[in-house]
């Protein structure tokens, strides 16, 4: 066996058996992206879809073959066509249903999957498989391709918040999503998500203050503007208290 040109440690972590163990040990941590191949390649994502298709049409073959066998004495070779039509119809319906269930699961695991805008089915599949960082990589590429769409940056923000425990990155991406959302109704949800995650940072939510101020100004005189003004007031009060506490410690 020849030596590999890349060190073995650089390969993406693949679940495997422990030394001396006969059973594989699953990894609870999201796998790192393997940088020597594109994220979400056919070998790792589309195989699940291919497996569902094979299973759906495999089950459909049973009634198709049985009905075809019964009809052969009556209509001869046309029974084969009937059987194939049954397999195609039943298998297609079963596959469509499985895809629908898979899409619903992706929405449950990733709230961004249910919002409007550009979709990235590979990123959604990766997230459903627990491969959060690779899903982020996919969504980031989508965000670069569609800079005026808020779905991709909001998806990245939510994965950083909910799966990777990286609130600073979540704040940064929620801000990008807000800029892309503009004055749409989605901005209402994004603004609340930004305030929620920014409030967990050490700056007392100050990182969300500029966006809140702009949002309050853009919605002056309506309930949204009043909400933003209140939240901005809370943040300023928390910042003032933190400054006073720091000053007292200095004295």
């Amino acid at each position: 066996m020849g030596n590999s040109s890349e060190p073995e440690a650089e390969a993406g972590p693949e679940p495997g058996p422990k030394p001396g163990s006969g059973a594989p040990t699953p990894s609870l941590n999201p796998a790192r992206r393997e940088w020597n191949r594109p994220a979400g390649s056919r070998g790792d994502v589309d195989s699940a879809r291919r497996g569902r298709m094979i299973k759906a049409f495999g089950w459909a073959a049973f009634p198709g073959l049985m009905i075809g066998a019964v009809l052969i004495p009556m209509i001869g070779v046309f029974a084969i066509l009937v059987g194939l039509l049954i397999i195609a119809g039943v298998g297609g319906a079963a596959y469509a249903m499985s895809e629908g269930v898979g899409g619903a699961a992706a929405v449950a695991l990733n709230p961004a999957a249910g919002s409007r805008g550009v979709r990235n089915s590979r990123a959604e599949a990766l997230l459903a498989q627990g491969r959060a960082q690779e899903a982020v990589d996919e969504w980031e590429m989508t965000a670069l391709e569609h800079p005026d769409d808020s779905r991709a940056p909001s998806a990245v923000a939510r994965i950083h918040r909910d799966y990777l425990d990286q609130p600073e990155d979540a704040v940064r991406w929620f801000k990008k999503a807000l800029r892309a959302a503009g004055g749409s109704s989605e901005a209402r949800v994004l603004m609340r998500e930004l305030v929620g995650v920014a409030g967990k940072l050490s700056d007392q939510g100050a990182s969300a203050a500029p966006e809140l101020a702009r949002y309050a100004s853009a919605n002056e005189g309506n309930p949204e503007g009043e909400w933003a003004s209140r939240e901005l007031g809370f943040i300023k009060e928390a910042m003032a208290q933190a400054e006073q506490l720091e000053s007292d410690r200095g004295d």
Side-chain angles (χ1 to χ4, degrees):
M1 294 185 291
N3 292 330
S4 173
S5 60
E6 295 181 6
E8 185 176 349
E10 292 298 322
E14 295 291 338
K18 291 182 178 179
S21 172
T25 303
S27 173
L28 298 179
N29 297 321
R32 292 183 305 162
R33 177 174 176 179
E34 297 177 11
W35 294 104
N36 58 345
R37 64 183 175 85
S41 63
R42 288 186 180 276
D44 57 10
V45 178
D46 287 351
S47 58
R49 182 174 293 126
R50 192 179 304 116
R52 291 194 298 270
M53 180 182 295
I54 293 173
K55 184 179 293 185
F57 285 97
W59 280 107
F62 286 104
L65 292 174
M66 290 179 61
I67 294 174
V70 171
L71 292 177
I72 281 179
M74 294 180 281
I75 60 176
V77 294
F78 289 105
I80 299 176
L81 178 60
V82 172
L84 292 175
L85 289 174
I86 291 173
I87 293 172
V90 175
Y95 175 66
M97 185 177 297
S98 70
E99 287 295 291
V101 172
V107 171
L109 289 169
N110 178 17
S115 62
R116 295 179 298 172
V118 65
R119 294 197 61 173
N120 187 324
S121 58
R122 293 191 179 192
E124 293 168 6
L126 286 165
L127 186 61
Q129 294 171 11
R131 301 163 67 175
Q133 184 57 58
E134 291 179 75
V136 164
D137 296 336
E138 280 286 336
W139 274 121
E140 286 184 356
M141 287 188 286
T142 302
L144 288 174
E145 295 168 358
H146 304 273
D148 296 328
D149 193 287
S150 62
R151 179 170 187 158
S154 65
V156 174
R158 288 162 181 151
I159 295 173
H160 278 301
R161 179 192 65 191
D162 300 335
Y163 293 86
L164 299 177
D165 192 23
Q166 296 171 341
E168 293 87 357
D169 290 322
V171 166
R172 181 165 55 89
W173 281 95
F174 273 129
K175 289 181 177 182
K176 292 183 179 182
L178 274 167
R179 287 194 292 270
S184 69
S185 58
E186 188 183 4
R188 178 179 182 274
V189 175
L190 292 171
M191 181 58 69
R192 282 160 172 76
E193 290 185 278
L194 170 62
V195 171
V197 71
K200 299 177 182 179
L201 301 181
S202 59
D203 65 1
Q204 309 295 325
S207 54
E211 282 71 21
L212 267 174
R214 284 193 290 269
Y215 192 71
S217 176
N219 292 276
E220 187 176 1
N222 64 41
E224 281 299 291
E226 294 173 2
W227 168 83
S229 296
R230 285 197 305 273
E231 291 295 325
L232 190 59
F234 295 150
I235 290 174
K236 290 180 178 179
E237 182 179 352
M239 291 171 60
Q241 291 176 354
E243 290 177 0
Q244 184 60 48
L245 182 61
E246 190 67 25
S247 176
D248 293 343
R249 286 176 180 174
D251 295 340

